[in-house]
Amino acid sequence: MATEVELKPVSEQSEYVLGMQVDKKTRPQKVPSLCSVRYGMAFLAHLSNFTFIAQNSIISITMVAMVNSTDNQPHLNSSTEGLPTNLNGDQHEALKDLSVKGTGFGGQFALWQRWAPPNERSRLCSIALSGMVLGIFAVLLVGGVISEALGWPFVFYIFGGIGCICCLLWFILVYDDPASHRWISGPEKEYIISSLHQQVSSEDQPLPIKAMLRSLPLWSICLCTMTHQWLVNTFIIYTPTYISSVFKINIRDNGFLSSLPFFVAWVVGILGGQLADFLLSKNFRLVTVRKIITILGNVPPVALIVALPYVQSSYITTIAFLTLSCGLSPLCQSGVYINALDIAPRYASLLLGTSRGLAHSSAVLVPIVGGFFLNQDSEFGWRNLFFVLLAVNQFGLIIYLVFGKADVQEWAKERTLTRL
């Protein structure tokens, strides 16, 4: 009995085969998740951010010891209540270095431009960025102990040595893209490339500087990032000082107390990426997810900080407020901090590095503003400092909520160049 076979035209057959190839490429049979190269690179970026921010944060722990040793002031001790205001030139340069080094974050975002599938972008970036919070936690926890036991230079030596080891691992294990990685599996490589093939192009495009300067969504990201960093730098610089001035606790105990909020922040920062991707899986719009996460990372932390002077009579309440406030702020890592990957994936490395560099200018401004208020009025200084924090932070958040976008902007799309 003959079997009837339906023959298709050659053009239809080729389209059918091509469709099957595309379908097979975009839906691999088995894609590793946690035990994969892309997650391994996220954890390596986590370690890199740990060492990077730790080396930037140790200045706030060693500042008192540095002033004691350089200014020869024996009447100052390790339990000095406030940050010193008579800084020499080298110490001012150290504070300025916090903002200059912020541009170094752009390099890692060039990886997520080619390594992070859109549906995993929040969790991969949150894993990487949470290393910064862990670095602050480690410095606050052991920085004072090392400074007292071995001397303040050894804080720099120890964390600097960890940074050298991390740099060596980075050179060996990190590759530009999945196609050039030696140890990535075939299904994972196909999964990443197919999920990003519409966003990343290998062709060079001229940098649309004028369009970037006129882009309100981009400016809203930069401003909101800076105002949130104002909050973060207030935690880093003034949390030990506030605990010491209110409760008269020495620097060794202070280190354990002031590091607790950053441990909570490290955990919440990682979970924030999971929350963002979960909301996306429930068909929330991407811009809605970014703004919800950014609100959660700004409004509750600032409200708790502003309430601190009104609950300072209660030791437990103060520590609880500081812990919750600092713990919730890293949620922005899955919000405004990676929003440039959404609006301009082609230029994400440049934009994220620039926004982070501008944001870290608050590391210079916060000590100036804080010193002004705390030196003028010791009774109401903390209250005024926290109200300024509230005004700055909410201003940046409102601008972002009004002008923030999550779709690829016209100036960031691929353009076909024609020559006459």
Side-chain angles (χ1 to χ4, degrees), residues 11-44:
S11 59
E12 293 184 13
Q13 290 180 10
S14 60
E15 291 178 359
Y16 175 78
V17 173
L18 181 61
M20 290 293 293
Q21 291 176 348
V22 172
D23 183 69
K24 182 179 179 180
K25 180 179 291 187
T26 56
R27 291 184 300 174
Q29 295 297 322
K30 185 179 180 181
V31 179
S33 56
L34 188 60
C35 298
S36 62
V37 172
R38 64 188 186 278
Y39 277 88
M41 295 182 68
F43 286 112
L44 183 56

Side-chain angles (χ1 to χ4, degrees), residues 88-99:
N88 58 33
D90 293 338
Q91 292 154 359
H92 275 299
E93 291 301 319
L95 279 177
K96 292 178 182 178
D97 190 49
L98 293 179
S99 61

Side-chain angles (χ1 to χ4, degrees), residues 243-278:
I243 295 175
S244 179
S245 64
V246 173
F247 299 105
K248 313 300 181 184
I249 299 174
N250 62 49
I251 191 172
R252 185 181 298 272
D253 294 335
N254 195 346
F256 287 100
L257 289 174
S258 56
S259 64
L260 177 62
F262 293 97
F263 177 77
V264 178
W266 174 62
V267 176
V268 172
I270 295 177
L271 296 178
Q274 304 290 332
L275 174 62
D277 287 339
F278 172 78

Side-chain angles (χ1 to χ4, degrees), residues 57 60-61 63 80-85 87 95 136 140 229-246 254 258 261-262 305 308 318 322 362-375 381-382 385-386 389:
S57 302
S60 64
I61 293 297
M63 182 68 71
T80 301
E81 293 185 2
L83 280 176
T85 57
L87 306 181
L95 279 177
I136 301 171
L140 291 176
Q229 275 296 312
W230 190 291
L231 170 66
V232 173
N233 282 297
T234 300
F235 284 128
I236 297 172
I237 298 173
Y238 285 109
T239 295
T241 308
Y242 184 79
I243 295 175
S244 179
S245 64
V246 173
N254 195 346
S258 56
F262 293 97
I305 284 291
L308 285 178
T318 299
L322 276 172
S362 61
V364 179
L365 298 176
V366 168
I368 295 175
V369 175
F372 173 78
F373 286 113
L374 296 180
N375 289 333
W382 288 109
L385 176 62
F386 294 153
L389 168 64

Side-chain angles (χ1 to χ4, degrees), residues 4-268:
E4 294 183 1
V5 178
E6 181 181 358
L7 298 178
K8 296 182 179 180
V10 176
S11 59
E12 293 184 13
Q13 290 180 10
S14 60
E15 291 178 359
Y16 175 78
V17 173
L18 181 61
M20 290 293 293
Q21 291 176 348
V22 172
D23 183 69
K24 182 179 179 180
K25 180 179 291 187
T26 56
R27 291 184 300 174
Q29 295 297 322
K30 185 179 180 181
V31 179
S33 56
L34 188 60
C35 298
S36 62
V37 172
R38 64 188 186 278
Y39 277 88
M41 295 182 68
F43 286 112
L44 183 56
H46 181 93
L47 178 61
S48 300
N49 286 326
F50 166 84
T51 58
F52 193 88
I53 202 66
Q55 294 175 42
N56 286 339
S57 302
I58 53 181
I59 189 69
S60 64
I61 293 297
T62 59
M63 182 68 71
V64 174
M66 290 169 64
V67 173
N68 289 347
S69 61
T70 56
D71 292 349
N72 296 320
Q73 296 174 329
H75 61 280
L76 292 176
N77 54 43
S78 59
S79 61
T80 301
E81 293 185 2
L83 280 176
T85 57
N86 53 338
L87 306 181
N88 58 33
D90 293 338
Q91 292 154 359
H92 275 299
E93 291 301 319
L95 279 177
K96 292 178 182 178
D97 190 49
L98 293 179
S99 61
V100 175
K101 286 185 178 181
T103 57
F105 288 102
Q108 65 177 275
F109 287 111
L111 290 177
W112 304 129
Q113 178 183 347
R114 294 177 170 85
W115 278 92
N119 62 326
E120 298 181 1
R121 183 171 292 162
S122 298
R123 71 189 75 170
L124 289 173
C125 290
S126 65
I127 291 173
L129 292 174
S130 293
M132 296 186 293
V133 183
L134 185 63
I136 301 171
F137 165 75
V139 168
L140 291 176
L141 183 64
V142 302
V145 177
I146 296 174
S147 181
E148 287 186 349
L150 303 176
W152 65 264
F154 282 88
V155 184
F156 292 90
Y157 298 153
I158 292 174
F159 285 97
I162 297 174
C164 293
I165 296 174
C166 180
C167 184
L168 180 62
L169 292 175
W170 186 275
F171 286 138
I172 296 174
L173 300 177
V174 173
Y175 287 76
D176 290 339
D177 50 52
S180 61
H181 203 284
R182 294 183 180 180
W183 304 296
I184 190 172
S185 64
E188 184 181 6
K189 181 190 297 185
E190 293 180 0
Y191 168 64
I192 297 173
I193 293 176
S194 62
S195 64
L196 297 174
H197 74 281
Q198 293 182 347
Q199 297 189 19
V200 180
S201 174
S202 60
E203 299 179 2
D204 294 331
Q205 295 281 351
L207 192 64
I209 297 179
K210 292 183 179 179
M212 288 180 177
L213 294 176
R214 294 193 299 263
S215 176
L216 290 178
L218 179 57
W219 279 109
S220 68
I221 291 173
C222 293
L223 181 61
C224 187
T225 303
M226 179 181 177
T227 56
H228 184 264
Q229 275 296 312
W230 190 291
L231 170 66
V232 173
N233 282 297
T234 300
F235 284 128
I236 297 172
I237 298 173
Y238 285 109
T239 295
T241 308
Y242 184 79
I243 295 175
S244 179
S245 64
V246 173
F247 299 105
K248 313 300 181 184
I249 299 174
N250 62 49
I251 191 172
R252 185 181 298 272
D253 294 335
N254 195 346
F256 287 100
L257 289 174
S258 56
S259 64
L260 177 62
F262 293 97
F263 177 77
V264 178
W266 174 62
V267 176
V268 172

Side-chain angles (χ1 to χ4, degrees), residues 327-347:
L328 292 174
S329 64
L331 288 173
C332 287
Q333 293 173 358
S334 302
V336 65
Y337 278 79
I338 63 172
N339 199 187
L341 275 170
D342 304 319
I343 68 171
R346 186 185 307 278
Y347 309 110

